[in-house]
Amino acid sequence: RWLTCKSLPPGALESIADTIADRLRVPWFSGAVKINVSLVPPLVLLPVFLHVAALHFLLGLIILTSLPVVVLWYYYLTHRRKERTLFFLSLGLFSLGYMYYVFLREVVPRGHVEYFQVVALTCGLILMLAALSRAKKDPGYLPIPAGDEKPSHQGLANKSVRGSSSGLHGISGAASSRAVNGEAKGYCRMSAEQPEGVKKDWCTKCQLVRPARAGHCRLCGRCVRRLDHHCVWINSCVGEQNHQAFILALSFFMLTSVYGIILTLHTICRGRTAFVALFYCPGAYSDYSSALSFTCVWYCAIVTAGMGYILLIQLLNISYNVTEREARLALRDNTGRRLLGGLVIDTGQYNRGLLCNWGHFLSLGSSPPQRSAEDIV
């Protein structure tokens, strides 16, 4: 019907796309393994685009300008539809591997890169992948109550006072939740403020009472302790348990990427500083190998600039002890104040000074301090 220009019934194209995605499998010993369609485009399109961009300066300008636009468009498309996708994780990991491959094949054989520099770059890549693997683990999901134990809305008022049928156990659980989230952590004494109302703590999707600073991720469908945001680059939430690893992965990526860019530019643009060579390198397109290396450098520079902005926002938020989710809610409710030209939104609720804020962040995920019944009462 499509080939003959006839009208298609509603949902026909979506059905065709779902069928193709289901049939896309590879043979394996235990049976055919289904491949997520979102994994495939970066593996195919990225090398093609980079090799085409290396053919001419104008082609490189067009492709390197359009790539970020396409990625941002796909991000807003999936974010609006509330869809989870492996596209960004696949793009990030394959970009790392392909850039490392181009570096070893096109840059190192020129003889201007020392052995210890290759080892340092490789170690930085390994450390970044290790931190990324840790960031992919449990961000701090709250346990979902069993089907026969889900509390009802009618009993929520009593549950907020009692917590459970064991009396002090409910109060100690609430106190422990606040301790985990930083209001009573060991580096400095923070005020243990209760939320304004019980309804704000009740998650209708997970059917549970959330501790302070926890939030529900609409993409993962789970509540997360101290939810910061859902990161498409790791295809997971950033919360209490993996926020440190997330910052560590970003930091290692920045150091490794900048170091690789400098080594490549010093090789293909001899006699110029890295910053000058990035914008003015007359011999970059003298041969295809130099052109491909220079194109990859610019691709890395664009990605590094984006990740650097994310890291900057994260460091500023940590310094003011505010999460991305809290900043977004504060902007919506007009309860926060913009600082540093709008780069950070200070809610003032958990800000206890730079040292205490960083002490709280560095202690995330540690076991809460043991408190006696007298202290709880």
Side-chain angles (χ1 to χ4, degrees), residues 213-230:
R213 311 191 76 176
H216 183 86
C217 176
R218 61 182 183 177
L219 297 178
C220 295
R222 297 283 299 276
C223 285
V224 182
R225 290 185 180 273
R226 197 183 178 275
L227 175 63
D228 189 85
H229 69 288
H230 182 93

Side-chain angles (χ1 to χ4, degrees), residues 11 35-36 40 43-44 56 59 87 100 108 120 147 177 220 237 241 250 253 262 266 275 281 288 307 367 369 374:
I35 299 178
N36 194 309
V40 179
L43 307 182
V44 178
H56 195 272
L59 287 175
F87 173 84
Y100 186 69
V108 174
S177 299
C220 295
C237 290
Q241 298 293 330
L250 280 177
F253 171 80
I262 292 175
H266 283 171
F275 183 78
C281 185
Y288 188 76
M307 295 300 170
S367 58
E374 291 80 2

Side-chain angles (χ1 to χ4, degrees), residues 332-364:
R332 186 193 67 184
D333 301 334
N334 198 23
T335 57
R337 56 189 183 120
R338 295 177 178 268
L339 300 176
L340 304 178
L343 290 177
V344 64
I345 307 298
D346 182 20
T347 62
Q349 187 176 3
Y350 301 102
N351 187 4
R352 299 298 183 270
L354 181 65
L355 295 180
C356 286
N357 293 339
W358 273 96
H360 169 225
F361 174 75
L362 294 176
S363 63
L364 286 178

Side-chain angles (χ1 to χ4, degrees), residues 273-326:
T273 62
F275 183 78
V276 173
L278 186 62
F279 296 95
Y280 182 70
C281 185
Y285 286 86
S286 59
D287 59 276
Y288 188 76
S289 175
S290 299
L292 180 61
S293 301
F294 189 72
T295 302
C296 291
V297 162
W298 259 105
Y299 175 74
C300 290
I302 294 172
V303 176
T304 303
M307 295 300 170
Y309 176 77
I310 295 176
L311 180 60
L312 175 63
I313 297 299
Q314 286 289 314
L315 295 179
L316 290 175
N317 286 345
I318 294 170
S319 300
Y320 286 91
N321 200 3
V322 63
T323 64
E324 280 291 317
R325 174 177 174 271
E326 292 167 349

Side-chain angles (χ1 to χ4, degrees), residues 39-170:
L39 289 171
V40 179
L43 307 182
V44 178
L45 296 180
L46 182 63
V48 173
F49 284 160
L50 291 179
H51 280 274
V52 172
L55 295 175
H56 195 272
F57 170 74
L58 292 179
L59 287 175
L61 182 63
I62 294 173
I63 290 177
L64 292 177
T65 304
S66 60
L67 271 179
V69 177
V70 173
V71 172
L72 288 175
W73 170 80
Y74 186 71
Y75 167 75
Y76 285 114
L77 180 66
T78 55
H79 187 73
R80 185 180 61 185
R81 294 181 178 179
K82 302 178 183 179
E83 296 178 355
R84 295 190 68 179
T85 176
L86 294 175
F87 173 84
F88 299 98
L89 179 61
S90 173
L91 177 62
L93 292 178
F94 184 68
S95 296
L96 288 173
Y98 192 72
M99 295 303 105
Y100 186 69
Y101 166 77
V102 172
F103 178 80
L104 294 180
R105 181 173 179 175
E106 306 293 345
V107 179
V108 174
R110 293 172 178 262
H112 300 293
V113 179
E114 300 294 337
Y115 176 76
F116 73 91
Q117 293 175 325
V118 178
V119 172
L121 188 69
T122 305
C123 290
L125 185 63
I126 294 174
L127 290 174
M128 192 277 296
L129 291 176
L132 182 63
S133 176
R134 174 62 187 86
K136 281 283 296 175
K137 294 183 179 179
D138 180 15
Y141 291 123
L142 290 173
I144 299 178
D148 56 344
E149 296 178 359
K150 287 185 179 180
S152 62
H153 289 283
Q154 288 79 7
L156 185 57
N158 295 331
K159 187 175 181 63
S160 65
V161 178
R162 293 183 284 107
S164 68
S165 59
S166 58
L168 285 177
H169 174 73

Side-chain angles (χ1 to χ4, degrees), residues 138-267:
D138 180 15
Y141 291 123
L142 290 173
I144 299 178
D148 56 344
E149 296 178 359
K150 287 185 179 180
S152 62
H153 289 283
Q154 288 79 7
L156 185 57
N158 295 331
K159 187 175 181 63
S160 65
V161 178
R162 293 183 284 107
S164 68
S165 59
S166 58
L168 285 177
H169 174 73
I171 302 177
S172 62
S176 299
S177 299
R178 292 194 301 270
V180 169
N181 285 281
E183 285 82 359
K185 214 87 171 160
Y187 281 90
C188 59
R189 189 174 183 84
M190 296 184 177
S191 61
E193 301 179 8
Q194 282 282 9
E196 294 178 2
V198 178
K199 289 184 179 179
K200 291 186 178 180
D201 285 338
W202 175 254
C203 179
T204 58
K205 301 291 181 62
C206 298
Q207 295 292 295
L208 53 80
V209 178
R210 296 189 297 241
R213 311 191 76 176
H216 183 86
C217 176
R218 61 182 183 177
L219 297 178
C220 295
R222 297 283 299 276
C223 285
V224 182
R225 290 185 180 273
R226 197 183 178 275
L227 175 63
D228 189 85
H229 69 288
H230 182 93
C231 180
V232 295
W233 295 105
I234 64 174
N235 194 34
S236 177
C237 290
V238 176
E240 182 179 89
Q241 298 293 330
N242 67 341
H243 202 169
Q244 296 173 352
F246 178 73
I247 296 297
L248 198 61
L250 280 177
S251 302
F252 278 129
F253 171 80
M254 292 295 299
L255 294 175
T256 305
S257 180
V258 171
Y259 188 58
I261 289 173
I262 292 175
L263 290 179
T264 304
L265 288 176
H266 283 171
T267 301

